Amino acid sequence: MKIKLFKSFAISFATMMLLSGCGGQKSAEKTVESSSTKASTSDVTSGASEQKYTDPKEMKDEYDIIIVGAGGAGMSAALQAKEEGKNPVILEKMPVAGGNTLKASSGMNASETKFQKEAGITDSNDKFYEETLKGGHNTNDKELLRYYVDNSASAIDWLDSMGIKLNNLTITGGMSEKRTHRPEDGSAVGEYLVHGLLNNIHEKEIPIFVNADVTEILEKDSVVDGVKVTVEGKEKEVHGKAVVVTTGGYGANPEMLEKEKPELKGYVTTNQEGSTGDGIRMIEKLGGQTVDMDQIQIHPTVQQDKGILIGEAVRGEGAILVNQDGKRFTNEMGTRDNVSAAITALPDKSAYLIFDAGVKERVKAINFYEKQGFVKSADSIEALAKEIDMDGKTLDTTVQDWNKAVEAKSDTEFSRETGMDNALNKGPYYAIKIAPGIHYTMGGVKINDKTEVLNKDNKPITGLYAAGEVTGGLHGSNRIGGNSVGDIIVFGRQAGEQSAKFVK
């Protein structure tokens, strides 16, 4: 894509994602336009008005470790490699850092954390492992899953040590405990996480280049030793002793999606424009193995006009789903594949999230949905029903029945067991129309628990590492909400550590 298109996209993308930036960088960096939305969570996002990236003229011919992709996994890898005493660089093809991480809403799943203990929540890595395995229909890569759950708590601590505090707990579908960690004020985890990681990238003076499109991974004597990158319209080679690929999935590549699942043609996607599977294709050219490429997750609650995901935390904090008749039709906290199937089976193939002011107070992301014009509101349930062309008495009865179930802690109708801490009884009341959309690609390149990329003989490709949605296997055939953020941090750190050891 041409540089002008990138610059144009930067402004609209950054605004839509509520991207606020970090200041105070050196003169070798240039400004990329963004909005100046502030968050009250902590100093991670406060007082910043513009994001800065390293000037392309400063790009060297060689670094210790080249990281391709500036999402959560890439930035985590860079920070960990820097901690190990190495000199990493981040190359990002889009005009802003963050990737799909910016769009993450609900939180980061982790077990046996200090924040769970502070909240009196008894959890275990084994329970987390078993519930994730069940959610993935027992098809998960068990080696990767074991590493993930056993290192999830330390990842929360690592973020906290850098001023990125995720101490507000909620729950997502398929989980039995509150292990979804959010910013303190309940805001969306993605922008907060990206801002915090970028602050640390800048503080540690790690070069990060945007509009830097990596097109090929280079090898010399069967050892990966660099990349070809196009920047400011010119192609150049950048060499390194190791390469870490964190380019994300292919959820915004219709051709790849339809090749794997023709039935998904025409589905809206929640993915950012850069999620086109570049890393997967480059690694395949090197002989890398892929797994689970036909496993593509449909998220049940997506606003269709703009392809914006309505985070699972809305249901986790008490919202219900109703059909056009104003009746519940499924366990809202079931796994994503089951809830999506239930919505698709409805005559209209769409449904409404119904919630109250209490849910809105606990899930700050709703403020963003409201600004986008997705949210209908009214002072009473019957008035809300009129706003969405629904029978008022039926919807009111549905909400009253739900409130009784919450009080009794027993949902006899659909056996929902979580997200039942609060009744829907605090006006105003709200509704968002949703339907399923393409959300996440579980498939990708095959790695081991050291994040080494494996070839078709299951042997590591020397000097090549990968982390995040570009990889496959961890989530099996269905990803649990909140596990992707855990994935990028846990395995991003591992990629940084292991690539640094290889360089040594």
Side-chain angles (χ1 to χ4, degrees):
M1 187 178 290
K2 295 181 180 179
I3 299 298
K4 288 183 179 179
L5 289 178
F6 270 140
K7 289 180 178 178
S8 175
F9 176 71
I11 299 171
S12 60
F13 178 83
T15 301
M16 183 176 72
M17 295 319 304
L18 303 180
L19 183 63
S20 60
C22 317
Q25 298 311 304
K26 301 194 173 186
S27 58
E29 297 175 320
K30 69 177 182 179
T31 299
V32 174
E33 294 181 75
S34 68
S35 70
S36 58
T37 303
K38 295 182 181 179
S40 61
T41 315
S42 78
D43 290 340
V44 170
T45 55
S46 64
S49 61
E50 59 183 21
Q51 184 55 54
K52 296 189 177 183
Y53 300 105
T54 313
D55 192 316
K57 295 181 179 63
E58 300 296 317
M59 188 179 291
K60 298 178 182 178
D61 294 329
E62 187 172 353
Y63 297 89
D64 289 338
I65 301 168
I66 299 168
I67 296 163
V68 187
M75 288 191 284
S76 295
L79 289 165
Q80 188 65 50
K82 190 73 171 181
E83 283 184 27
E84 304 293 329
K86 297 306 165 190
N87 177 32
V89 64
I90 305 174
L91 305 177
E92 167 60 50
K93 76 172 183 179
M94 300 304 286
V96 292
N100 264 355
T101 306
L102 267 174
K103 305 188 86 172
S105 179
S106 294
M108 171 179 167
N109 286 350
S111 52
E112 297 187 16
T113 70
K114 63 183 180 182
F115 297 130
Q116 284 181 312
K117 292 171 185 175
E118 288 173 6
I121 296 169
T122 302
D123 198 3
S124 75
N125 292 343
D126 287 343
K127 184 185 287 188
F128 187 15
Y129 176 92
E130 292 299 333
E131 290 177 359
T132 301
L133 191 62
K134 181 181 179 182
H137 307 299
N138 295 297
T139 60
N140 313 63
D141 183 313
K142 295 180 176 62
E143 176 189 27
L144 296 181
L145 180 55
R146 190 74 250 178
Y147 185 87
Y148 168 43
V149 300
D150 288 346
N151 290 275
S152 60
S154 64
I156 292 288
D157 292 340
W158 182 70
L159 291 172
D160 193 28
S161 74
M162 296 187 293
I164 305 170
K165 188 180 292 292
L166 301 178
N167 61 341
N168 184 320
L169 299 172
T170 189
I171 195 165
T172 60
M175 299 283 100
S176 67
E177 301 291 346
K178 287 188 175 182
R179 62 174 69 104
T180 307
H181 293 64
R182 304 182 292 172
E184 191 165 32
D185 68 353
S187 59
V189 69
E191 56 173 310
Y192 174 73
L193 183 60
V194 168
H195 299 156
L197 291 171
L198 275 170
N199 275 352
N200 283 273
I201 291 289
H202 293 322
E203 286 172 9
K204 293 173 174 56
E205 299 184 345
I206 298 171
I208 177 170
F209 297 93
V210 295
N211 295 321
D213 189 8
V214 173
T215 57
E216 185 179 347
I217 300 170
L218 304 174
E219 274 187 312
K220 183 179 180 180
D221 299 327
S222 299
V223 177
V224 168
D225 79 331
V227 300
K228 284 185 180 179
V229 57
T230 299
V231 60
E232 293 194 324
K234 298 178 181 179
E235 184 178 80
K236 68 174 292 181
E237 291 187 1
V238 179
H239 292 277
K241 301 178 182 69
V243 172
V244 179
V245 180
T246 56
T247 51
Y250 50 97
N253 187 325
E255 291 180 0
M256 288 183 73
L257 291 166
E258 290 169 28
K259 176 185 175 184
E260 301 296 342
K261 290 270 184 139
E263 63 269 28
L264 296 181
K265 185 176 182 178
Y267 267 64
V268 67
T269 182
T270 67
N271 289 256
Q272 61 98 13
E273 187 177 317
S275 297
T276 51
D278 302 355
I280 296 172
R281 290 181 293 192
M282 287 189 288
I283 288 173
E284 282 186 305
K285 288 181 181 179
L286 293 178
Q289 183 181 169
T290 58
V291 294
D292 297 341
M293 287 295 287
D294 62 342
Q295 299 302 317
I296 299 166
Q297 184 169 71
I298 305 302
H299 194 285
T301 56
V302 176
Q303 200 280 336
Q304 299 292 295
D305 295 334
K306 295 185 179 181
I308 301 295
L309 180 144
I310 308 301
E312 207 150 332
V314 178
R315 284 172 284 148
E317 288 298 324
I320 59 174
L321 282 167
V322 301
N323 58 23
Q324 194 61 53
D325 294 328
K327 297 179 179 179
R328 290 179 68 217
F329 55 92
T330 190
N331 173 2
E332 295 87 352
M333 296 301 290
T335 54
R336 290 176 170 181
D337 53 349
N338 288 336
V339 179
S340 294
I343 295 170
T344 302
L346 296 173
D348 297 321
K349 300 185 184 301
S350 62
Y352 282 91
L353 278 163
I354 304 295
F355 53 96
D356 69 348
V359 174
K360 187 170 183 287
E361 290 168 4
R362 294 188 294 274
V363 184
K364 300 301 182 184
I366 294 172
N367 295 327
F368 171 68
Y369 307 147
E370 197 167 39
K371 289 175 183 177
Q372 294 296 306
F374 303 159
V375 184
K376 300 287 186 181
S377 65
D379 290 334
S380 69
I381 292 294
E382 291 202 19
L384 179 66
K386 187 176 181 180
E387 289 287 324
I388 55 178
D389 194 26
M390 194 176 289
D391 183 76
K393 290 184 179 179
T394 301
L395 182 60
D396 186 63
T397 298
T398 295
V399 172
Q400 295 307 319
D401 288 345
W402 169 248
N403 288 342
K404 291 174 184 176
V406 170
E407 184 178 3
K409 299 297 180 187
S410 175
D411 176 23
T412 57
E413 194 171 10
F414 295 103
S415 302
R416 176 169 165 176
E417 297 178 346
T418 57
M420 300 179 67
D421 293 336
N422 300 280
L424 300 178
N425 56 13
K426 183 178 181 180
Y429 297 91
Y430 303 90
I432 303 176
K433 188 174 184 178
I434 54 82
I438 295 167
H439 180 51
Y440 192 90
T441 50
M442 274 83 72
V445 299
K446 187 173 184 179
I447 60 171
N448 58 23
D449 65 2
K450 293 182 179 180
T451 68
E452 296 171 312
V453 176
L454 304 180
N455 64 21
K456 292 178 175 60
D457 295 322
N458 285 317
K459 294 180 179 179
I461 298 175
T462 308
L464 185 61
Y465 302 81
E469 196 176 351
V470 71
T471 68
L474 173 65
H475 306 292
S477 59
N478 179 66
R479 180 175 67 82
I480 296 293
N483 277 357
S484 62
V485 179
D487 176 10
I488 60 177
I489 303 302
V490 170
F491 287 103
R493 291 186 70 200
Q494 176 71 322
E497 180 177 344
Q498 294 301 323
S499 60
K501 285 182 178 179
F502 174 76
V503 169
K504 289 180 182 178

